[in-house]
Amino acid sequence: MSTAPRLTALDALHRSLGATMTDFAGWDMPLRYASERDEHVAVRTKAGLFDLSHMGEITVTGPQAVDLLNFALVGNIGTVSVGRARYTMICAEDGGILDDLIVYRLGETEYMVVANAGNAQLVLDTITERAGGFDAEVRDDRDAYALLAVQGPESPAILAAVTDADLDGLKYYAGLPGTVAGVPALIARTGYTGEDGFELFVAPGHAEQLWRALTEAGASRGLIPCGLSCRDTLRLEAGMPLYGHELTTALTPFDAGLGRVVKFEKDGDFVGRKALESAAERAETAPPRKLVGLVAEGRRVPRAGFPVVAGGQVIGEVTSGAPSPTLGKPIAMAYVDAAHATPGTEGVAVDIRGSHEPYEVVALPFYKRRK
């Protein structure tokens, strides 16, 4: 039996704005409101407003909350200060990536783990299972939050119009409690677009009031509502991995070129340590396929799963591909053999339904904002 998708607190508002809705990880989410290209360009040049309430919030509290998270995750959560956040991963015993996460330290003994929508239940179950023996509580807070994001170069000015929080003092990957448009919120300087911006965690009952206030504050600065489609092209241009594409259980963080998130030097054991130590050694001696950027010479768009070829041989596979509004060309991320991973490598093509379309190998990201 199929179950009906979950609805965010802003569902009726999205429909009133004429959004095209789609089922994403069990949620009914806005894919686009009008032109996904216009939405993409708005975030790059002005600002976009997103509903990200499908993300999974898990709160971990208690005297040994940090010890639990250090054991359950691959990062060193012990070095995260109150009010700061860290990008990390949760891995299986064999080192395979179960999800990539952001952990916010909200207080001395309180942390919020934010998981991808499609993996939220798995992450909750896994951390709960790993909590045995620790004096810590793991709480499913997915229904406690709606999540709105304002992203783009105009986002600081837009948010400043509706809050007296110290946004200038709020560093990247930091969060502070504050009031936004009269609504209590956790204001985080995080995002998934490659632009400056903020993610606002609020009670679901306050989501619509906040959305309308931000829309009003941003009207003169070019803010428009944005869906998941442009969020995907924005993160692709910024070279940010997407779970299920660049990250999977078949890959360790070292295979994904993200070995830096694994902190072997932290105190105590952690799940996957042995396997990840072996993966780190392998990456040194026999590098696995490397994640690279590919830029099309023609107009045909590559998609996930398409083979990457050179000299008539398959040398890799596309993980994500789309037209890039910023570059004006199709782009892709792909895992390719190390021998073909150097930027500028010639003779590389993507097999698009039997036709070998030439692509240039480039370093990631495709796009980097000016600070």
Side-chain angles (χ1 to χ4, degrees):
M1 269 175 62
S2 63
T3 53
R6 297 181 69 181
L7 308 179
T8 78
L10 294 166
D11 183 74
L13 190 147
H14 296 317
R15 292 171 196 279
S16 74
L17 292 172
T20 300
M21 306 296 285
T22 188
D23 184 342
F24 184 84
W27 290 81
D28 216 9
M29 297 298 295
L31 188 64
R32 71 183 74 81
Y33 295 85
S35 156
E36 53 203 51
R37 181 187 170 80
D38 290 351
E39 291 171 23
H40 181 111
V41 171
V43 175
R44 285 278 178 261
T45 59
K46 294 174 181 174
L49 179 58
F50 296 84
D51 178 10
L52 306 178
S53 302
H54 60 313
M55 300 296 280
E57 296 85 7
I58 300 156
T59 304
V60 181
T61 57
Q64 290 188 301
V66 68
D67 303 304
L68 164 57
L69 290 171
N70 266 347
F71 173 71
L73 313 179
V74 300
N76 189 350
I77 309 306
T79 56
V80 181
S81 307
V82 173
R84 298 307 302 265
R86 179 153 301 160
Y87 176 78
T88 187
M89 294 182 185
I90 184 167
C91 289
E93 195 70 68
D94 67 0
I97 302 165
L98 298 177
D99 201 14
D100 61 334
L101 314 162
I102 296 181
V103 179
Y104 297 87
R105 187 174 182 186
L106 304 181
E108 282 303 319
T109 60
E110 184 180 5
Y111 297 81
M112 180 170 69
V113 178
V114 180
N116 286 298
N119 295 330
Q121 189 63 49
L122 172 65
V123 173
L124 173 67
D125 292 344
T126 305
I127 295 177
T128 302
E129 185 185 306
R130 295 177 184 178
F134 291 96
D135 186 2
E137 180 196 346
V138 181
R139 190 172 70 233
D140 180 1
D141 269 349
R142 284 175 289 179
D143 292 336
Y145 293 104
L147 176 56
L148 279 64
V150 191
Q151 300 280 302
E154 293 287 345
S155 56
I158 292 167
L159 192 56
V162 289
T163 185
D164 57 6
D166 177 19
L167 300 181
D168 289 341
L170 188 64
K171 295 183 172 72
Y172 186 51
Y173 265 70
L176 83 165
T179 302
V180 184
V183 167
L186 171 67
I187 306 166
R189 201 164 206 149
T190 45
Y192 192 52
T193 62
E195 297 298 335
D196 191 11
F198 303 87
E199 295 184 318
L200 308 169
F201 296 85
V202 299
H206 291 147
E208 189 169 330
Q209 177 185 335
L210 182 56
W211 180 283
R212 292 188 187 283
L214 289 166
T215 299
E216 194 177 323
S220 63
R221 294 184 177 273
L223 176 83
I224 63 171
C226 293
L228 294 184
S229 187
C230 82
R231 191 167 181 252
D232 190 48
T233 52
L234 290 159
R235 71 92 196 165
L236 176 55
E237 287 185 348
M240 294 176 165
L242 174 64
Y243 195 87
H245 289 254
E246 289 71 42
L247 309 175
T248 70
T249 52
L251 298 169
T252 72
F254 294 95
D255 297 324
L258 292 165
R260 66 181 182 275
V261 305
V262 181
K263 303 300 181 187
F264 294 119
E265 71 277 10
K266 65 180 174 175
D267 293 338
D269 197 12
F270 63 92
V271 178
R273 179 193 272 273
K274 268 205 170 64
L276 290 168
E277 284 172 343
S278 299
E281 280 176 35
R282 275 198 313 277
E284 286 292 321
T285 56
R289 282 182 167 178
K290 290 189 173 177
L291 188 65
V292 300
L294 299 174
V295 178
E297 293 180 21
R299 308 304 306 169
R300 295 188 71 186
V301 179
R303 297 297 180 193
F306 284 12
V308 182
V309 295
Q313 300 295 312
V314 174
I315 57 148
E317 186 176 297
V318 171
T319 54
S320 297
S324 164
T326 305
L327 276 64
K329 299 175 179 179
I331 59 172
M333 286 200 277
Y335 281 109
V336 302
D337 295 343
H340 299 274
T342 307
T345 300
E346 294 185 352
V348 172
V350 176
D351 184 339
I352 302 181
R353 298 182 183 87
S355 172
H356 290 189
E357 301 289 331
Y359 270 74
E360 181 190 355
V361 177
V362 300
L364 292 170
F366 300 97
Y367 165 86
K368 216 173 199 170
R369 72 182 171 96
R370 289 193 292 273
K371 300 289 184 192

